[in-house]
Amino acid sequence: MTLILRTYTACSKKNIALVILYLIIGMLLITTVMCGHVYGADIPDFVAKWGQTGSGDGHFNGPWNVAFDSRANIYIVDQRNSRVQKFDPDGNFMTKWGSYGSGDGQFANPVAIALDSYDDVYVIDLHNHRVQKFDADGIFLTTWGSYGSGDGQFANPVGIAIDSVDDVYVVDRYNHRIQKFDADGVFITSWGTYGADDGQFIHPFGIAVDNKGNVFVSEKNNNRIQKFDANNKFITKWGFGGNREGHFFSPSGITVNRQGEVYVADSLNYRIQKFDTDGNFLMMWGSFGYKDGQFIYPAGVAIDGFGDIYITDVSQNHVQIFTEFTETKCLPVYIDIKPDSLENTINPRSKGVIPVAVLNSNNCDVTTIAPLTIRFGSESMVFESDGAKESHGKGHYEDINEDGLPDLVLHFKTHDTGIMCGDTEAYLIGETIDGKGIEGVDTVTTVKCK
């Protein structure tokens, strides 16, 4: 954009003020265009939608939330059908479990779902006031919770999130608090009371945890988002009642991407809003309607390992998928650190090597990866330095997950990775043979650090 200004030999103070004003407005317009937030720029592209009203396989009656496992399979809580449905990464039905009731594996309005690092599935069972835990095939494992206000009790729990060490956060809506448990349901701590002050809640609803352990909570009645650190300390908040940028009308689902950016289902404004980690508005999309990219009641929002955004619409009984993929964005890949071990334990002082498998998927044919470009290690080592190179040359192909497809197995010297005591994630980057960037991450547990 070019601004053309005429120069006058004589200007009144009023004219000078007007010129300055026009300059300011022009610069604001330039800045806005460059930042990509004018007239819907950078809005995610609609990819697909699936689901319809009913009780058959792949049909829904109140799909409230969605989650993903390590193999990109999709899990959806189907509230009024009292069940969980599981789909493959392409949306093909795989299995389902649940029926109405209060027994193990039964539900009374399941409304939220999350998976841990072992692909165990945690479901919020709203009117049974409990959490149920299953394996990835729907086999019941355990449950905890009952109606009440004591530790480990709930009054209409509605949200759930799991952090990098598999601690479980539950939104205890009518007790106006957040409760935290370990993976077996053992109570750890809680915070929150009724109110509108910092750290208080009025009907909290959605919850998400970023890769630094920060916790984000949406509140329907206060129409805001609150952010806490990993020790439950209040950090910041944003939002007011309304329909302008950064305002909400009954926000429900919330999620965080790997960059720490926050997505909120602004349900009664019929849209999704995106913010940076501090609550600064980035973009929004959606309006009331039945067309692609429109919503009647967007409730759940989740991001899969490929960066695609899934929105559940409980009134239209379907899921819409959007993508923010750009030419400069790395292609996400699934990696499995120490694939022969159930736990990704790493001794940072070890002089050995760490095996890492890059798994074949619908998203990435690993035979197109250039192994010599691969780097692996801690976040700072990989993204700010060089990272560890493959120690055995080019690696080899092996069907690690027994799906009939070759996976790329690589080895890295531990002392080159930069992984240190306390690290909870390790990263892998590289390129395909045609120059496309790839990026993957997996959880780790460091040992022998004392």
Side-chain angles (χ1 to χ4, degrees):
M1 180 182 292
T2 303
L3 293 180
I4 301 176
L5 299 177
R6 290 183 177 177
T7 304
Y8 295 88
T9 56
C11 292
S12 67
K13 291 183 179 180
K14 180 177 180 181
N15 286 336
I16 292 173
L18 286 172
V19 170
I20 293 173
L21 177 61
Y22 294 151
L23 275 170
I24 293 172
I25 293 172
M27 292 306 295
L28 285 173
L29 286 172
I30 292 172
T31 302
T32 305
V33 171
M34 291 176 65
C35 293
H37 302 308
V38 173
Y39 304 120
D42 291 344
I43 290 175
D45 294 324
F46 172 83
V47 176
K49 66 181 176 186
W50 38 275
Q52 56 182 296
T53 302
S55 58
D57 296 344
H59 295 186
F60 303 107
N61 191 0
W64 265 97
N65 225 316
V66 58
F68 312 94
D69 66 19
S70 63
R71 301 183 187 278
N73 295 314
I74 305 159
Y75 300 74
I76 296 177
V77 279
D78 190 6
Q79 182 193 15
R80 290 185 289 275
N81 281 325
S82 302
R83 65 185 180 182
V84 174
Q85 295 196 65
K86 178 180 178 179
F87 304 86
D88 72 14
D90 296 318
N92 299 306
F93 175 82
M94 297 178 68
T95 190
K96 62 186 176 185
W97 68 89
S99 60
Y100 182 81
S102 58
D104 294 343
Q106 293 185 308
F107 304 106
N109 290 324
V111 293
I113 190 167
L115 277 78
D116 66 17
S117 63
Y118 297 97
D119 286 344
D120 288 334
V121 183
Y122 300 72
V123 180
I124 293 293
D125 191 2
L126 174 67
H127 288 150
N128 283 324
H129 310 286
R130 65 182 179 180
V131 179
Q132 293 197 68
K133 179 179 177 180
F134 306 86
D135 70 11
D137 297 315
I139 304 301
F140 175 82
L141 298 176
T142 190
T143 184
W144 71 90
S146 60
Y147 181 77
S149 58
D151 294 344
Q153 293 185 308
F154 305 108
N156 283 31
V158 287
I160 189 168
I162 299 176
D163 65 18
S164 61
V165 294
D166 288 339
D167 285 337
V168 181
Y169 297 77
V170 177
V171 179
D172 190 4
R173 187 180 185 188
Y174 289 151
N175 283 323
H176 312 287
R177 66 183 179 181
I178 308 300
Q179 294 198 66
K180 181 179 179 180
F181 305 86
D182 70 13
D184 296 316
V186 177
F187 175 82
I188 297 174
T189 188
S190 66
W191 74 95
T193 57
Y194 181 87
D197 290 337
D198 297 346
Q200 292 186 310
F201 305 106
I202 300 180
H203 296 161
F205 201 89
I207 190 166
V209 184
D210 69 16
N211 54 19
K212 296 181 180 179
N214 296 311
V215 180
F216 301 81
V217 180
S218 65
E219 292 181 78
K220 279 184 170 290
N221 286 45
N222 282 328
N223 287 307
R224 66 181 182 182
I225 308 299
Q226 292 196 70
K227 178 182 178 180
F228 304 86
D229 68 15
N231 296 313
N232 318 329
K233 181 180 178 181
F234 174 83
I235 297 177
T236 190
K237 63 185 176 186
W238 66 90
F240 302 93
N243 60 8
R244 301 179 65 182
E245 294 177 355
H247 293 190
F248 302 106
F249 188 6
S250 192
S252 52
I254 185 169
T255 194
V256 185
N257 67 16
R258 291 216 5 236
Q259 291 72 42
E261 296 166 331
V262 182
Y263 298 72
V264 181
D266 190 6
S267 297
L268 294 181
N269 279 325
Y270 320 111
R271 65 187 182 185
I272 307 301
Q273 294 199 65
K274 180 181 177 181
F275 305 87
D276 69 17
T277 189
D278 298 315
N280 297 304
F281 175 83
L282 297 177
M283 72 163 104
M284 62 185 178
W285 75 96
S287 59
F288 181 87
Y290 299 89
K291 297 179 180 179
D292 296 344
Q294 293 185 310
F295 308 103
I296 304 300
Y297 195 98
V301 55
I303 300 174
D304 69 13
F306 308 127
D308 290 335
I309 307 162
Y310 287 64
I311 312 297
T312 60
D313 192 324
V314 297
S315 293
Q316 299 196 74
N317 290 312
H318 65 213
V319 180
Q320 294 194 59
I321 307 169
F322 302 84
T323 185
E324 292 184 274
F325 189 87
T326 64
E327 292 184 0
T328 59
K329 181 179 177 182
C330 283
L331 184 71
V333 294
Y334 285 98
I335 67 173
D336 187 359
I337 298 172
K338 301 180 71 173
D340 293 330
S341 173
L342 292 177
E343 297 183 356
N344 300 340
T345 55
I346 293 177
N347 176 7
R349 299 184 179 90
S350 171
K351 296 182 179 180
V353 297
I354 302 172
V356 179
V358 184
L359 303 178
N360 221 320
S361 68
N362 293 335
N363 191 56
C364 180
D365 178 359
V366 299
T367 63
T368 67
I369 293 176
L372 293 180
T373 67
I374 299 295
R375 299 293 183 269
F376 173 77
S378 66
E379 183 175 16
S380 60
M381 180 64 74
V382 167
F383 295 106
E384 298 175 15
S385 184
D386 193 28
K389 302 177 182 179
E390 215 288 330
S391 64
H392 292 173
K394 296 183 179 181
H396 69 278
Y397 296 104
E398 181 182 345
D399 186 5
I400 293 295
N401 54 9
E402 299 180 351
D403 61 357
L405 298 173
D407 304 306
L408 177 59
V409 181
L410 307 160
H411 296 81
F412 304 91
K413 294 179 180 179
T414 304
H415 59 76
D416 289 339
T417 65
I419 295 174
M420 302 175 64
C421 290
D423 285 348
T424 58
E425 291 181 323
Y427 295 80
L428 179 145
I429 62 172
E431 295 180 2
T432 61
I433 55 179
D434 60 355
K436 180 63 184 178
I438 64 168
E439 180 179 330
V441 62
D442 197 5
T443 58
V444 298
T445 300
T446 53
V447 297
K448 298 183 179 179
C449 290
K450 293 182 179 180

